[in-house]
Amino acid sequence: MSKEEIFKEAQKAINDYNANGAKEVAQRGLAQGIGPIELMNKGFIPGITEVGDRFSQGTCFLPELIQAADAMRVATEVINAAIPANQQQKKGKIVIGTVEGDIHDIGKTIVVSLMKANGFDVYDLGRDIPTEKFVEKAEEVGADIIGTSALLTTTMEGQRKLEAALKSKGLKGKIKTMVGGAPVTQRWADRIGADAYAEDATDGVRKAKQLLGMG
Ligand code: B12
């Protein structure tokens, strides 16, 4: 089967809210030698994006969104397990999580895997994380970067709050910030004074290296 056909099947499994199918295609694609990140970016992500579009157009509803997210979670687990463990020297420390009020964590989890695979020490706080917790953890571990994910326009505000918290503690600039999530843009990053914006996991790794003077 061609790569393109596998990507179509991956997309279809998510569109059909089919967790078993998603797992099976993920395993088959990897066995065929497709790279995990390529399979995610060209197969599964277009699938979940389409479900998001259906949801906003009112042609699917929350139960379907939840089933699609579950299929996506299963696929992500298979994909993440296939991202090679890192053998290189550690590059830097990153504290990462989804901001308060926001439980979307599929994208954040992909970023975490790819960061780890690229030699970063990653402290994944999970989802629905209050600003103070990001700052506390970053101080505790001596983080170089705090990465935040926001998927809702309402919760993006958490990324701005983090900038303010770092400023008030005199940590702005010492700990760099990186923002991501579907509604987040470079413009938003500029507006709130974040040090970097990344549009996907690969871009996240590139920007993190740049922030640490390695790119
Ligand atoms: C799956 C999903 C869910 C799942 C989440 C499951 C989970 N464990 O994550 C469930 C069903 C729980 C859910 C719930 C809700 N959702 Co929802 N959801 C989605 C959906 C369809 C896909 C998100 C996703 O996983 N995408 C795939 C990943 C891989 O992409 P990503 O998250 O963007 O991440 C990539 C990049 O952005 C970047 N990135 C992300 N984070 C970070 C962080 C850093 C540091 C870096 C460097 C990079 C980076 O790298 C990632 C990898 O490439 C989106 C639609 C969409 N198009 O985004 C709606 C969407 C985000 N949801 C939406 C809504 C409204 C909701 C609910 C409010 C619905 C409701 N009525 O209850 C709730 C909110 C609950 C809450 N408080 O958080 C809206 C948001 C609208 C808005 N403008 O705010 C969207 C846009 C759907 C829509 N079109 O209306 N949702």
Side-chain angles (χ1 to χ4, degrees):
M1 197 177 263
S2 77
K3 264 188 177 185
E4 267 59 39
E5 283 166 322
I6 297 274
F7 296 151
K8 282 224 175 70
E9 280 199 17
Q11 183 168 355
K12 184 169 184 310
I14 304 296
N15 288 167
D16 293 349
Y17 321 117
N18 179 355
N20 289 335
K23 183 175 183 180
E24 192 275 322
V25 184
Q27 288 167 336
R28 195 149 38 86
L30 294 170
Q32 201 177 298
I34 302 176
I37 294 295
E38 188 181 12
L39 185 51
M40 181 48 73
N41 286 345
K42 297 190 178 160
F44 293 108
I45 290 183
I48 194 76
T49 305
E50 171 162 351
V51 175
D53 292 345
R54 287 182 197 165
F55 181 71
S56 51
Q57 288 154 12
T59 53
C60 91
F61 300 95
L62 199 54
E64 286 93 359
L65 191 64
I66 292 170
Q67 282 179 51
D70 191 47
M72 193 68 188
R73 183 185 52 76
V74 171
T76 308
E77 277 168 15
V78 176
I79 296 279
N80 282 346
I83 296 177
N86 164 67
Q87 313 287 332
Q88 317 158 26
Q89 249 191 333
K90 292 289 176 220
K91 289 209 171 75
K93 289 184 186 164
I94 304 189
V95 167
I96 191 166
T98 303
V99 295
E100 187 164 23
D102 199 324
I103 62 164
H104 294 87
D105 65 356
I106 295 170
K108 185 267 303 160
T109 306
I110 298 171
V111 174
V112 167
S113 301
L114 204 64
M115 291 282 187
K116 282 186 180 163
N118 278 275
F120 289 94
D121 245 339
V122 185
Y123 299 83
D124 182 2
L125 300 183
R127 54 193 191 174
D128 190 13
I129 303 301
T131 305
E132 308 76 55
K133 233 180 152 183
F134 282 107
V135 180
E136 235 169 63
K137 190 72 186 177
E139 284 195 285
E140 178 196 321
V141 303
D144 303 290
I145 300 174
I146 300 177
T148 52
S149 183
L151 266 287
L152 299 170
T153 40
T154 47
T155 57
M156 284 163 69
E157 201 48 41
Q159 297 179 324
R160 193 209 297 267
K161 267 178 75 183
L162 176 64
E163 299 299 328
L166 289 174
K167 255 185 216 143
S168 78
K169 290 200 133 205
L171 294 169
K172 180 71 194 144
K174 292 188 187 132
I175 302 173
K176 307 280 187 194
T177 54
M178 180 151 66
V179 292
V184 176
T185 57
Q186 181 64 55
R187 227 177 122 193
W188 171 248
D190 293 341
R191 205 158 110 201
I192 64 172
D195 297 294
Y197 156 74
E199 68 169 339
D200 58 25
T202 310
D203 192 30
V205 169
R206 190 166 43 231
K207 298 277 171 62
K209 287 184 185 165
Q210 279 171 11
L211 285 178
L212 301 180
M214 299 170 192

